[in-house]
Amino acid sequence: MSGIIDKLKKADENNRQLSAYRPLPPETLKSLREYYRVGLTYTSNALEGNSLTESETKVVIEDGLTIEGKPLRDHFEAVGHAKAYDYLYQVTEKECMAEEDILTLHRLFYQQIDADHAGQYRQVRVYISGSRYAVTAASKIPAEIRKLIKWYNESEKNLHPIELAATLHQRFVFIHPFIDGNGRVARLLMNFALLRNGYTIAIIPAILRHEYIYSLETAHTRPEVFVDFIADRVIATQLDLLRLMREDNDTVNDTVNDTVKVDVAGLSKTEQTILQAISLHPDYTYEKLASYCKLSRPTIARTIKTLQSREFIRRIGSDKTGHWEIIRKEGEV
């Protein structure tokens, strides 16, 4: 278990380094989303046997072209996954996860493949090849999904984002609510949890398919094995993104507007951005701060909690009618 803790600390440190580059310019943010739109669609489909290469996947979902000699279903999987990926960014801004979010992700992915079963729980018994464990009986799926959603919404503030994301993926796959597409929806949900809590998309390349399946199977009795596997994939994806960021921007502007007259040493650029926004708009709610700073609401909430714990800000009055106040520190100008 100590190994996992070390990896979670490493992921947190990587995340702090990535935060120094935020908020990203709209053009950069758009290109990154497109980068992972192709990367996640390609890898997630490849894990399930889709024959499209990464460059072919890009052509299919961005140019709407078909690849000669490749199955039509493989094209449908690419287009459907890309649509589900786009939807992912919409639901990360919501207050909490809902059952409809899961059904919509599956419907978007599966619509062109099998419209009758898209976004519908399976009504038949299924078996997972290579697994010694049974999945949830069809009659119990709705109740088990609602239990899963309740667990997620209650656990989001208590578990580390990587443990939360890995466990959500694991529990969803063990239910196996759909006729097909469960693995892809599970990986989308995993990334939903990561994005909502300030982390980047995590990629599982097809070359790791054996390790991925093994860790999921082992998680029936030792769930920490799958958490450890996902932690490795989060760190690897973070390092890839950090490399891209450093190539584009060798130095990070750590300055903050003079309207914030506090010692900002040690704050990330995200923390500085939110601190500056609060100094200019102390009456802003989380939603207004998220819109102003171009950050997600969970990121705003998490960062404000950090700023409060470090005594940079405090809340005066109620949540609805109160305002934020910057705590003046000794030695400020």
Side-chain angles (χ1 to χ4, degrees):
M1 194 67 183
S2 61
I4 295 178
I5 293 173
D6 290 341
K7 289 179 182 180
L8 297 183
K9 289 179 179 178
K10 173 63 176 174
D12 287 341
E13 174 57 31
N14 290 341
N15 210 38
R16 279 190 288 271
Q17 292 183 39
L18 286 167
S19 293
Y21 294 93
R22 299 177 181 135
L24 297 171
E27 298 80 6
T28 303
L29 186 60
K30 182 176 182 292
S31 66
L32 272 177
R33 286 189 179 182
E34 290 173 353
Y35 174 77
Y36 284 120
R37 187 174 188 247
V38 174
L40 185 62
T41 295
Y42 161 65
T43 55
S44 194
N45 281 336
L47 283 167
E48 307 296 338
N50 189 292
S51 65
L52 295 177
T53 65
E54 187 165 11
S55 59
E56 289 171 343
T57 300
K58 179 180 175 65
V59 168
V60 169
I61 65 178
E62 292 186 356
D63 302 328
L65 301 177
T66 56
I67 309 300
E68 185 178 359
K70 294 298 176 79
L72 192 57
R73 180 186 172 107
D74 288 4
H75 293 78
F76 289 157
E77 288 180 347
V79 172
H81 191 282
K83 289 179 179 178
Y85 170 87
D86 292 339
Y87 178 72
L88 200 65
Y89 282 93
Q90 298 177 38
V91 294
T92 54
E93 302 296 330
K94 294 174 64 175
E95 284 289 326
C96 57
M97 181 196 287
E99 184 175 12
E100 182 57 31
D101 300 330
I102 295 176
L103 295 175
T104 300
L105 284 171
H106 186 264
R107 182 164 51 250
L108 289 169
F109 167 70
Y110 210 58
Q111 186 67 38
Q112 289 181 280
I113 300 168
D114 183 350
D116 291 338
H117 293 102
Q120 303 293 323
Y121 296 137
R122 60 179 168 85
Q123 301 296 318
V124 297
R125 181 181 298 177
V126 297
Y127 300 94
I128 309 303
S129 60
S131 176
R132 297 185 293 111
Y133 300 93
V135 297
T136 299
S139 61
K140 297 180 179 179
I141 288 173
E144 288 300 309
I145 287 292
R146 286 163 198 150
K147 281 171 57 178
L148 176 63
I149 292 168
K150 184 175 185 293
W151 165 83
Y152 177 86
N153 290 329
E154 291 175 349
S155 302
E156 191 169 34
K157 295 181 180 179
N158 302 321
L159 291 180
H160 188 283
I162 294 176
E163 184 179 1
L164 178 76
T167 306
L168 174 61
H169 177 306
Q170 169 194 316
R171 291 182 61 169
F172 179 84
V173 166
F174 291 172
I175 297 171
H176 222 75
F178 302 114
I179 284 286
D180 190 21
N182 293 281
R184 274 160 283 212
V185 174
R187 291 184 286 277
L188 286 165
L189 289 173
M190 176 186 76
N191 282 301
F192 160 87
L194 291 171
L195 288 171
R196 270 180 65 85
N197 291 280
Y199 272 73
T200 60
I201 291 287
I203 299 291
I204 305 173
I207 195 172
L208 295 179
R209 186 175 187 275
H210 174 74
E211 291 86 344
Y212 173 55
I213 293 174
Y214 169 80
S215 63
L216 260 178
E217 180 74 0
T218 307
H220 282 279
T221 55
R222 296 171 55 207
E224 69 276 6
V225 172
F226 189 63
V227 175
D228 184 79
F229 175 82
I230 295 302
D232 282 338
R233 299 318 314 150
V234 170
I235 290 170
T237 310
Q238 286 176 325
L239 293 176
D240 181 55
L241 183 54
L242 279 169
R243 175 185 58 78
L244 292 173
M245 292 291 192
R246 286 165 182 156
E247 288 176 356
D248 288 340
N249 185 6
D250 291 332
T251 60
V252 178
N253 181 8
D254 289 325
T255 61
V256 70
N257 191 290
D258 288 340
T259 56
V260 180
K261 298 183 182 299
V262 293
D263 179 9
V264 296
L267 291 185
S268 71
K269 192 170 183 180
T270 298
E271 292 166 335
Q272 293 180 27
T273 298
I274 295 173
L275 191 61
Q276 179 182 352
I278 286 174
S279 74
L280 295 170
H281 305 283
D283 60 330
Y284 269 15
T285 62
Y286 282 12
E287 288 74 17
K288 287 185 177 180
L289 284 170
S291 177
Y292 182 85
C293 299
K294 294 182 173 58
L295 297 168
S296 69
R297 189 186 185 283
T299 297
I300 294 291
R302 186 184 64 257
T303 306
I304 282 179
K305 183 177 180 181
T306 300
L307 290 171
Q308 286 177 305
S309 68
R310 296 179 64 182
E311 298 184 345
F312 277 95
I313 59 173
R314 61 178 164 232
R315 184 72 179 175
I316 305 298
S318 68
D319 289 342
K320 289 187 177 180
T321 62
H323 64 276
W324 299 105
E325 182 179 84
I326 293 178
I327 301 173
R328 304 296 178 179
K329 290 200 167 187
E330 187 176 345
E332 74 173 46
V333 178

